[in-house]
């Protein structure tokens, strides 16, 4: 964006113009005459998502947000008193509250710090996120999900900080969720929920809605045998069309190329911050698009606010500055941000 230096995709991604334009037309303005072609595009988008994630279109559900998707997963099971669900300690509330809310049903929701430890007895669900949202370090989600599946435990993966950056799913994941507003650069209003074949075969879904009927509105048609059983209602068409445009760009560019571009940018930020004397807390091996550093003795929030006054946008989390460049971030933006942080380090907030 002209005049804006932006390294904060882990919060909200800058929407490309192509995606914004794709979502401008309000299909509802023509009623069903305009909406009917949109139903075909729904199917096309499911197919495209399925190709990306290595599943089939029947595994793909559209939700309004990552939070809604995870709450749908939480409602899927017939919980019994004493059942256990585990989730990452200190995780973002979207991947905490769906599980702690289950305590009202007698479920034990346990926060986990050491993922190498054995799962507690009676664990029915492991809910893990791909990335620590404060440090940017990738969690050992692949190993955790593999161990859980080997033990007959259901798995749920919050992939919002990996989707659009690097591969973020495996055959051991039963539920995969990611909103499109961050690294998928498509704005609010849509999250993708992928439901595994195992879950489709063994679980009924969290609710029954008209959209989950085989032939709406005919009740006698029965429910579909797909992830649409997890959909609560229609997602706004503009959100779907924005994501459709973004996904096409990612596909043309190639996911490996996207990942390589993000890594080059985050590695440059990481190395330069260390050279400047910042204490970088992110892991360059278990990497994500996030690089977090401690600006002590300066206050992270104050540094971020100083950046906003210069139209340099980064984030702050847990007392650290969080920088998150995407493949769209230019070399000039990275240079301007790093030069500014050097002045902050050497001269203070007025540098």
């Amino acid at each position: 964006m002209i005049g804006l230096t932006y390294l904060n995709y882990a919060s909200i991604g800058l929407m490309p113009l192509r995606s914004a334009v794709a979502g401008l037309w309000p299909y509802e303005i023509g009623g069903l005459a305009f909406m009917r072609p949109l139903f075909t595009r729904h199917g096309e988008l499911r197919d495209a998502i399925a190709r990306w994630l290595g599943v089939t279109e029947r595994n793909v559900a559209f939700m309004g947000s990552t939070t809604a998707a995870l709450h749908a997963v939480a409602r899927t099971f017939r919980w019994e008193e004493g059942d256990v669900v585990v989730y990452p300690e200190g995780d973002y509330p979207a991947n905490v509250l769906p599980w702690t809310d289950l305590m009202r049903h007698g479920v034990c929701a346990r926060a986990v710090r050491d993922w190498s430890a054995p799962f507690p007895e009676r664990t029915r669900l492991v809910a893990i996120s791909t990335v620590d949202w404060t440090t940017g370090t990738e969690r050992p989600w692949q190993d955790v999900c593999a161990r859980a599946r080997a033990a007959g435990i259901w798995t749920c993966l919050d992939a919002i900080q990996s989707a659009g950056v690097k591969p973020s799913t495996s055959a051991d994941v039963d539920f995969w969720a990611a909103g499109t507003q961050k690294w998928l650069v498509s704005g609010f209003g849509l999250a993708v929920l992928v439901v595994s074949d195992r879950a489709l075969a063994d679980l009924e879904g969290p609710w029954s809605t008209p959209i989950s009927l085989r032939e709406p509105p005919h009740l006698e048609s029965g429910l579909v045998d797909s992830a649409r059983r997890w959909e609560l209602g229609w997602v706004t068409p503009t959100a779907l069309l924005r994501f459709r445009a973004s996904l096409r760009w990612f596909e043309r560019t190639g996911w490996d190329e996207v990942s390589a571009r993000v890594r080059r940018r985050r590695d440059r930020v990481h190395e330069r911050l260390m050279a400047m004397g910042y204490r970088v807390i992110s892991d360059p091996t278990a990497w994500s698009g996030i690089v977090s550093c401690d600006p002590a003795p300066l206050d992270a929030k104050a540094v971020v606010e100083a950046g906003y006054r210069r139209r340099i946008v980064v984030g702050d989390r847990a007392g650290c500055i969080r920088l998150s460049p995407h493949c769209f971030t230019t070399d000039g933006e990275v240079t301007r941000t790093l030069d500014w942080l050097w002045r902050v380090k050497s001269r203070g907030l007025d540098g």
Side-chain angles (χ1 to χ4, degrees):
M1 182 177 290
I2 296 175
L4 188 65
T5 298
Y6 198 86
L7 277 76
N8 200 18
Y9 282 84
S11 293
I12 303 295
L14 286 184
M15 187 187 300
L17 181 61
R18 70 181 72 84
S19 303
V21 170
L24 284 179
W25 182 252
Y27 275 73
E28 298 90 335
I29 199 172
L32 194 58
F34 286 2
M35 291 293 289
R36 289 180 68 186
L38 189 64
F39 300 151
T40 300
R41 295 185 180 182
H42 271 228
E44 293 172 351
L45 182 56
R46 286 185 206 271
D47 288 337
I49 293 169
R51 289 195 304 272
W52 166 38
L53 296 174
V55 296
T56 67
E57 60 84 23
R58 69 185 290 269
N59 300 110
V60 178
F62 296 137
M63 309 296 291
S65 66
T66 309
T67 299
L70 296 177
H71 272 285
V73 174
R75 288 178 57 99
T76 296
F77 300 91
R78 294 182 178 179
W79 299 100
E80 298 180 2
E81 188 169 353
D83 285 343
V84 177
V85 56
V86 296
Y87 62 89
E89 182 179 78
D91 208 358
Y92 191 74
N95 195 38
V96 175
L97 295 176
W99 322 122
T100 56
D101 276 356
L102 295 172
M103 295 171 67
R104 72 182 73 180
H105 303 297
V107 174
C108 179
R110 295 190 183 180
V112 174
R113 175 179 295 181
D114 179 10
W115 285 101
S116 66
F119 300 121
E121 291 186 14
R122 294 195 60 182
T123 299
R124 288 192 66 193
L125 177 69
V126 171
I128 187 171
S129 50
T130 55
V131 172
D132 184 314
W133 68 295
T134 58
T135 68
T137 298
E138 186 176 37
R139 301 189 195 276
W141 61 269
Q142 290 170 298
D143 175 68
V144 170
C145 290
R147 288 195 295 115
R149 286 306 307 154
I153 299 170
W154 295 100
T155 59
C156 179
L157 188 66
D158 177 353
I160 197 169
Q161 292 293 2
S162 294
V165 176
K166 60 190 299 189
S168 59
T169 191
S170 77
D172 297 309
V173 175
D174 291 304
F175 298 95
W176 182 99
T180 62
Q181 76 272 22
K182 298 182 186 289
W183 301 95
L184 293 172
V185 296
S186 301
F188 289 101
L190 175 63
V192 176
L193 174 64
V194 176
V195 183
S196 72
D197 288 337
R198 289 186 296 269
L200 290 177
D202 295 348
L203 301 171
E204 295 181 355
W207 35 58
S208 299
T209 67
I211 201 172
S212 63
L213 291 172
R214 294 180 187 275
E215 298 179 14
H218 305 294
L219 291 172
E220 65 275 11
S221 67
L223 299 179
V224 294
D225 181 26
S226 75
R228 280 170 47 202
R229 298 203 308 265
W230 275 257
E231 294 180 351
L232 189 55
W234 291 106
V235 171
T236 179
T238 54
L240 292 165
L241 294 171
R242 292 194 306 261
F243 183 49
R244 180 170 175 258
S246 297
L247 191 57
R248 284 179 169 178
W249 184 91
F250 283 122
E251 288 180 326
R252 288 194 301 269
T253 303
W255 288 105
D256 289 343
E257 177 61 21
V258 169
S259 185
R261 291 182 190 179
V262 175
R263 183 156 197 184
R264 284 196 297 271
R265 287 157 175 76
R266 68 84 53 210
D267 284 354
R268 180 186 172 196
V269 170
H270 191 128
E271 293 163 5
R272 179 77 184 278
L273 288 172
M274 291 187 66
M276 287 190 285
Y278 282 97
R279 185 173 73 87
V280 179
I281 63 173
S282 302
D283 189 327
T285 302
W287 69 279
S288 70
I290 297 171
V291 181
S292 292
C293 67
D294 183 355
L298 297 175
D299 176 70
K301 289 185 181 294
V303 173
V304 170
E305 287 301 318
Y308 269 89
R309 291 193 291 271
R310 291 163 175 79
R311 297 182 65 80
I312 299 174
V313 181
V314 296
D316 67 274
R317 293 291 186 273
C320 291
I321 303 170
R322 191 179 73 172
L323 299 93
S324 48
H326 207 327
C327 63
F328 309 99
T329 309
T330 67
D331 289 340
E333 288 179 283
V334 174
T335 297
R336 182 170 183 240
T337 303
L338 292 172
D339 287 350
W340 165 67
L341 286 173
W342 166 248
R343 293 193 298 273
V344 168
K345 182 73 172 177
S346 57
R347 306 174 195 170
L349 294 179
D350 296 326

